[in-house]
Amino acid sequence: EANFNYRDLGLDYRGTTARAGEMLTASVKWQRFGGDFERLFSSDPVGGPASLFQQQQSLSDESWTGKVDYVRPLGGANRLSLGAQLVTTSNVLRQSASGTLPSGAPFAAASLVDGSWLEYAGYVTYQFELAGFTIMPGVRLEGREYDLGGTTGVPDLKTSRLFPSLHTERQLARWLTGTASYSRRITYPQIQLLNPALNFQDATTAQAGNPLLEPQLTDSYEVRLRANLAPHNLELTAYRRTTEDIWSFRGEVNPDGILVTRPFNFGSQAL
């Protein structure tokens, strides 16, 4: 059985001036998601005693997002873009589980995952023309700070990095356009992936977070050709995305005989 509650409230602003292409946009958004879950598992094996496992979960996630973007044309294809974003999120996950082990012995467990994070970002890009190319380099400063209330036993994750980007475009023929781009992006772990509290899947298996987990970083390269052959439009894209410090999951049996699965940074991935 599951019950969900989702609420969303947003305010958007868009302003223009007499200068063609100049624009200011801003937005504020509030979101809240809540849920209550109850699960019941039962088994009645032929060669052993019957067992039951009952689990109750409640979660809530609340966030505020503020964003502002400004575009200023500077003549011809030249254009300056500036922007900033601020996000704050709080998350609570409660769980209780009870039942019987395969041996018939009683079992009970409870956990609480409670935390929040603050994310900030700012970017600047500049578009110009050079030797027939439209070129737009950019840089983004982005960071996030977690607050897990000291439950991890290690300092909370705090990170701030610069992310460059480059986009180029050229008209190769009247009917053919080519583009090439590079960007570097980050994927942050959820609070549950950082908190070491055990989240039981059944009486003998559980998942837990790793407070030493680091974000994943991805470098993306892309080349694209677009052809307008009326009445057809054709597009060919080649790309490579490489991610370092990917999240891998490893299971270990703890002293209580519970198989606990945790995430670790291990290896890389190429698409």
Side-chain angles (χ1 to χ4, degrees):
E1 181 179 349
N3 294 299
F4 301 93
N5 187 294
Y6 177 77
R7 301 184 182 190
D8 185 317
L9 180 64
L11 177 64
D12 296 281
Y13 169 83
R14 179 177 182 270
T16 59
T17 68
R19 183 183 289 108
E22 187 174 24
M23 184 186 311
L24 174 68
T25 59
S27 64
V28 178
K29 189 173 186 178
W30 171 79
Q31 290 178 298
R32 189 182 190 282
F33 173 80
D36 296 291
F37 312 89
E38 185 170 350
R39 302 178 178 91
L40 178 64
F41 304 89
S42 64
S43 64
D44 189 10
V46 175
S51 63
L52 293 174
F53 177 78
Q54 189 172 18
Q55 182 187 65
Q56 293 89 27
Q57 280 184 329
S58 65
L59 64 88
S60 66
D61 188 282
E62 185 171 359
S63 67
W64 285 89
T65 302
K67 187 176 181 180
V68 60
D69 295 281
Y70 173 67
V71 179
R72 172 70 180 267
L74 300 174
N78 296 350
R79 185 177 66 191
L80 177 68
S81 299
L82 304 168
Q85 178 173 284
L86 185 66
V87 183
T88 177
T89 295
S90 60
N91 183 274
V92 179
L93 172 62
R94 293 183 176 88
Q95 177 192 269
S96 62
S98 61
T100 54
L101 298 171
S103 63
F107 161 85
S111 66
L112 171 64
V113 176
D114 188 359
S116 62
W117 50 259
L118 174 68
E119 182 179 309
Y120 48 87
Y123 78 89
V124 57
T125 65
Y126 181 69
Q127 179 180 290
F128 61 95
E129 286 187 340
L130 180 65
F133 288 88
T134 300
I135 304 174
M136 186 172 67
V139 65
R140 178 182 178 92
L141 172 65
E142 184 173 335
R144 183 181 286 196
E145 299 181 1
Y146 289 83
D147 182 4
L148 304 181
T151 59
T152 66
V154 299
D156 293 333
L157 176 64
K158 291 179 173 62
T159 177
S160 182
R161 292 179 172 91
L162 284 173
F163 299 94
S165 64
L166 178 64
H167 181 88
T168 64
E169 182 175 308
R170 182 181 174 89
Q171 192 83 23
L172 303 175
R174 183 181 58 82
W175 52 273
L176 182 64
T177 302
T179 62
S181 64
Y182 163 77
S183 65
R184 184 170 174 85
R185 290 293 180 261
I186 188 170
T187 304
Y188 296 102
Q190 297 178 348
I191 290 175
Q192 290 86 343
L193 292 180
L194 295 171
N195 196 299
L198 296 183
N199 181 8
F200 281 86
Q201 308 304 304
D202 57 41
T204 57
T205 60
Q207 293 182 339
N210 176 8
L212 299 178
L213 193 67
E214 292 289 332
Q216 299 179 140
L217 295 172
T218 301
D219 291 293
S220 299
Y221 304 85
E222 183 175 289
V223 176
R224 178 178 300 176
L225 293 174
R226 295 194 306 269
N228 183 6
L229 302 173
H232 305 288
N233 291 313
L234 302 178
E235 187 173 285
L236 174 66
T237 302
Y239 69 88
R240 178 180 177 86
R241 298 188 183 105
T242 304
T243 303
E244 301 293 335
D245 293 329
I246 63 171
W247 301 330
S248 300
F249 292 83
R250 184 176 67 193
E252 295 178 332
V253 178
N254 69 8
D256 296 325
I258 306 300
L259 177 63
V260 181
T261 302
R262 291 186 175 90
F264 294 86
N265 294 105
F266 183 78
S268 61
Q269 173 181 275
L271 302 176

